[in-house]
Amino acid sequence: MTIPAGDWNWLEVSKLTVSLAGPVVTLIVGLWIKGIVDRIEQRRWEAQNTIKWRLSVFERFAPKLNLLHNAFMYIGRWKELEPPDLITLKRDLDEIVFTYEFLWSTDFREKYKALMETCFRLNQGPGENAKIAANVDMYRKAHSDWDPRWDQMFVPVEQRAKRVDIQALIEVVLRSAVRDLGLNLSQR
């Protein structure tokens, strides 16, 4: 039924309005829901990329921390490390920690600093390397090609670090790093 022009009344206008309102409301609600879903998806994507990025930092940090642990516990590949390698290892760890300093909490930085101060005697003076607080005799025995200059890279016997202290510090540093990076790895 067609209504001739000029014969529109309020009832016909109301029917037309109601018939158009459904699709318009559906369109508006659909766009609103799509916006919400897009924002959720964007946050999920950002969270996944953040975790991937944090994991890449952790993947650089954890093996070096493990190597430091081995070097002071005299386990694993420690015999492959010469004294200059230990200084390089310290520098590599420092580079990771200080390059990504904004990722780490104050708690982590303090624990990391305590670990480094236990494993090494820092601030030996301008141009001087940190001294290694490990047992020089263990390293001397492990290397048949010992360079006598390496003796100077170690602290005196009475200043050596205790393995139990290093073990405890490594564990707290590692747990703190996992927590700071938001990796939610199950911890014992």
Side-chain angles (χ1 to χ4, degrees):
M1 152 172 133
T2 54
I3 301 174
D7 287 341
W8 287 79
N9 60 32
W10 69 270
L11 182 59
E12 296 302 322
V13 171
S14 298
K15 284 194 226 174
L16 181 60
T17 303
V18 168
S19 67
L20 292 176
V24 169
V25 169
T26 302
L27 176 66
I28 291 170
V29 170
L31 290 173
W32 177 68
I33 291 172
K34 182 184 180 324
I36 290 171
V37 169
D38 287 349
R39 282 191 297 278
I40 290 170
E41 184 61 29
Q42 178 67 26
R43 285 187 194 126
R44 189 177 72 75
W45 181 84
E46 288 170 359
Q48 284 178 334
N49 283 330
T50 299
I51 288 173
K52 284 179 188 176
W53 183 71
R54 287 175 171 173
L55 272 172
S56 73
V57 171
F58 189 73
E59 286 171 350
R60 290 181 52 215
F61 179 75
K64 291 183 184 302
L65 188 64
N66 184 60
L67 197 52
L68 182 75
H69 172 263
N70 293 351
F72 282 86
M73 296 294 116
Y74 314 109
I75 59 175
R77 297 178 29 216
W78 78 275
K79 290 179 182 180
E80 297 172 19
L81 299 172
E82 295 177 343
D85 298 331
L86 293 175
I87 300 300
T88 300
L89 179 61
K90 180 208 176 299
R91 288 182 179 145
D92 290 348
L93 281 163
D94 285 350
E95 181 178 10
I96 293 167
V97 168
F98 297 119
T99 297
Y100 301 103
E101 189 170 4
F102 59 91
L103 288 176
W104 311 114
S105 65
T106 301
D107 179 61
F108 169 83
R109 289 191 308 267
E110 288 172 359
K111 287 177 170 120
Y112 178 79
K113 181 181 177 191
L115 174 64
M116 288 299 120
E117 288 173 345
T118 301
C119 293
F120 301 93
R121 293 304 168 264
L122 310 174
N123 304 318
Q124 297 299 307
E128 296 296 319
N129 290 324
K131 297 223 182 246
I132 304 164
N135 186 339
V136 67
D137 293 329
M138 293 286 285
Y139 277 89
R140 201 179 288 123
K141 288 176 189 173
H143 297 284
S144 59
D145 59 343
W146 185 261
D147 183 339
R149 293 177 294 179
W150 292 347
D151 287 325
Q152 301 306 312
M153 298 179 82
F154 289 83
V155 299
V157 173
E158 63 277 1
Q159 292 180 14
R160 286 195 311 226
K162 294 180 180 155
R163 291 192 286 179
V164 66
D165 294 339
I166 293 171
Q167 179 69 39
L169 285 166
I170 294 272
E171 287 179 20
V172 297
V173 166
L174 189 56
R175 289 182 192 282
S176 186
V178 166
R179 189 173 42 256
D180 281 5
L181 296 174
L183 299 177
N184 296 326
L185 301 176
S186 61
Q187 297 181 13
R188 295 185 284 179

